Amino acid sequence: MAGSAVARLLLQCTVQRTHVLAGQPLLALSSAIHRKTSAITANSLQSDCSRGFQTSVPMCKKLRGRKHKVHELFHPRVVVENWPNVKYTTEPQACRKTGGRSPETGRVVNHRRAGGLKWTYRMVDSHRTAPEDGPSVVEKVQQIIVDPLRSGRLALVAGGEHKRYILASCNMKPGDVIKTSGHIPRIAVKAFEGDAYPLGALPVGTMVYNVEKYPGDGAKLVKAAGTCTQVLRKIGGKVYLQLPSKREVCVSEKCMATVGRVSNPDHNKVIRGSPQMSRWLGYRPHSGWWQRKTGYHGRKIRGPKATKIYDKPAEERFSIHKLTM
């Protein structure tokens, strides 16, 4: 579209030479082309982005220049009413499903999401924090529940005058006492399953989950059912972990993590016996369009990716609907 418009503009400026200044013909022509192409690009990008599409240059020549769907970083399956004004509570919250549509624009962003059973939302506290120089926080597990919005189990823990939900480990059961410590001793601690410590306090080889990217930012890594990560090495205040995807990440030794493995390890072995079960879970059927696979879909031998280093919080990413020229 932009190329054809530029060609038409060049032809128009060539025919109407008398309207171009005699002293600066090339400058006027280039500025006109720049204004025209900028307007075309802005209009096309704005219209494409408003529909959730963008063009790209894929590796395959067959798909080059083809428009495809743009999926944002996170599309929630449910929306809790008055979410910013809701205080933390252990009571289930009423929520409505998005049906595969974006909560901001109302446009369809996922064609395989619709329907399903009614669910309730439970707030999960992802901050397992404790003072660095103070005593450890001790809590007792009251109940292990199944949350339909998450693959892992939730544990209702109580300590002092408060209750909260946290991600349960594989062997966690009601009556267990878990501990959260923020102190990093000179010698590595002997941690038990369900306890939370800074990564710098754990020995090398420990299996952990619910890991923070930045200190005090809340758990962001390794939260799916049956997953865990291993502490590979500790160098100069940094801790290297191996994620379930076999990629290595480097975080601060002050980042909190929970010892053990996320509960419900057999989540990926569940067999959907009928299409109705997929409908109950909120999934629509495939389109049914079959395509023969080519050599492009074969096995590829690639080297491991470089270690991802989380040294400082990343800047907030702009929305695909924001256009800057």
Side-chain angles (χ1 to χ4, degrees):
M1 180 187 297
S4 59
V6 172
R8 291 195 301 269
L9 179 61
L10 285 172
L11 181 59
Q12 179 181 0
C13 292
T14 304
V15 175
Q16 300 176 356
R17 292 181 182 178
T18 57
H19 298 282
V20 181
L21 296 178
Q24 299 176 346
L26 296 179
L27 179 60
L29 179 59
S30 60
S31 61
I33 294 174
H34 177 71
R35 290 195 302 270
K36 188 67 175 179
T37 52
S38 300
I40 293 171
T41 307
N43 294 334
S44 60
L45 284 178
Q46 187 175 4
S47 61
D48 291 343
C49 292
S50 63
R51 291 176 173 83
F53 288 89
Q54 74 175 7
T55 57
S56 66
V57 183
M59 296 177 61
C60 181
K61 293 183 179 180
K62 184 178 180 181
L63 303 178
R64 183 165 294 138
R66 184 176 176 182
K67 294 182 179 180
H68 65 281
K69 269 289 183 180
V70 177
H71 294 278
E72 297 179 4
L73 294 179
F74 176 69
H75 280 307
R77 301 181 65 178
V78 297
V79 176
V80 181
E81 301 296 341
N82 302 324
W83 171 252
N85 302 325
V86 177
K87 295 182 178 180
Y88 183 83
T89 177
T90 56
E91 296 296 330
Q93 300 294 315
C95 59
R96 59 181 177 84
K97 294 189 176 182
T98 59
R101 295 180 178 271
S102 175
E104 291 79 13
T105 62
R107 297 180 181 273
V108 176
V109 294
N110 194 335
H111 290 273
R112 290 206 61 208
R113 285 278 174 84
L117 300 176
K118 290 185 178 181
W119 296 329
T120 55
Y121 180 81
R122 292 176 176 84
M123 301 182 185
V124 178
D125 192 357
S126 60
H127 293 77
R128 296 282 300 268
T129 57
E132 297 182 2
D133 300 330
S136 303
V137 178
V138 179
E139 296 172 313
K140 187 175 182 179
V141 179
Q142 302 290 330
Q143 186 182 4
I144 304 293
I145 66 171
V146 178
D147 189 3
L149 293 178
R150 294 175 177 84
S151 57
R153 303 288 185 256
L154 297 184
L156 178 63
V157 298
E161 298 180 354
H162 68 278
K163 291 183 179 181
R164 61 174 180 171
Y165 283 114
I166 63 172
L167 284 179
S169 60
C170 281
N171 300 321
M172 189 177 292
K173 58 184 182 299
D176 292 348
V177 177
I178 58 177
K179 182 173 62 174
T180 303
S181 175
H183 178 61
I184 302 179
R186 185 175 60 88
I187 302 176
V189 300
K190 182 180 179 181
F192 297 93
E193 184 176 350
D195 296 344
Y197 289 93
L199 290 172
L202 299 174
V204 176
T206 306
M207 309 301 292
V208 295
Y209 70 96
N210 220 29
V211 184
E212 292 181 339
K213 287 184 179 180
Y214 310 102
D217 194 30
K220 298 292 191 302
L221 302 175
V222 195
K223 301 175 69 174
T227 58
C228 62
T229 181
Q230 185 179 16
V231 179
L232 297 181
R233 54 189 178 275
K234 298 185 287 185
I235 301 175
K238 298 290 184 179
V239 179
Y240 290 80
L241 307 172
Q242 186 180 28
L243 298 181
S245 61
K246 305 303 179 182
R247 184 174 185 180
E248 292 186 8
V249 296
C250 177
V251 297
S252 174
E253 64 176 3
K254 296 182 180 180
C255 293
M256 298 294 294
T258 307
V259 181
R261 184 184 180 190
V262 185
S263 55
N264 194 19
D266 297 332
H267 173 72
N268 59 345
K269 299 179 182 178
V270 176
I271 300 176
R272 301 177 188 176
S274 64
Q276 286 77 13
M277 185 174 181
S278 298
R279 282 292 193 172
W280 297 337
L281 297 177
Y283 296 104
R284 295 183 66 224
H286 288 281
S287 63
W289 183 35
W290 180 82
Q291 280 186 306
R292 182 178 298 278
K293 293 185 177 180
T294 61
Y296 179 74
H297 299 82
R299 179 171 176 260
K300 301 170 183 62
I301 301 176
R302 299 190 179 96
K305 294 184 179 180
T307 301
K308 177 67 174 179
I309 300 176
Y310 295 102
D311 51 355
K312 60 180 179 180
E315 297 180 358
E316 183 178 359
R317 297 187 178 183
F318 60 86
S319 173
I320 61 173
H321 301 279
K322 182 179 179 181
L323 182 64
T324 58
M325 298 302 296

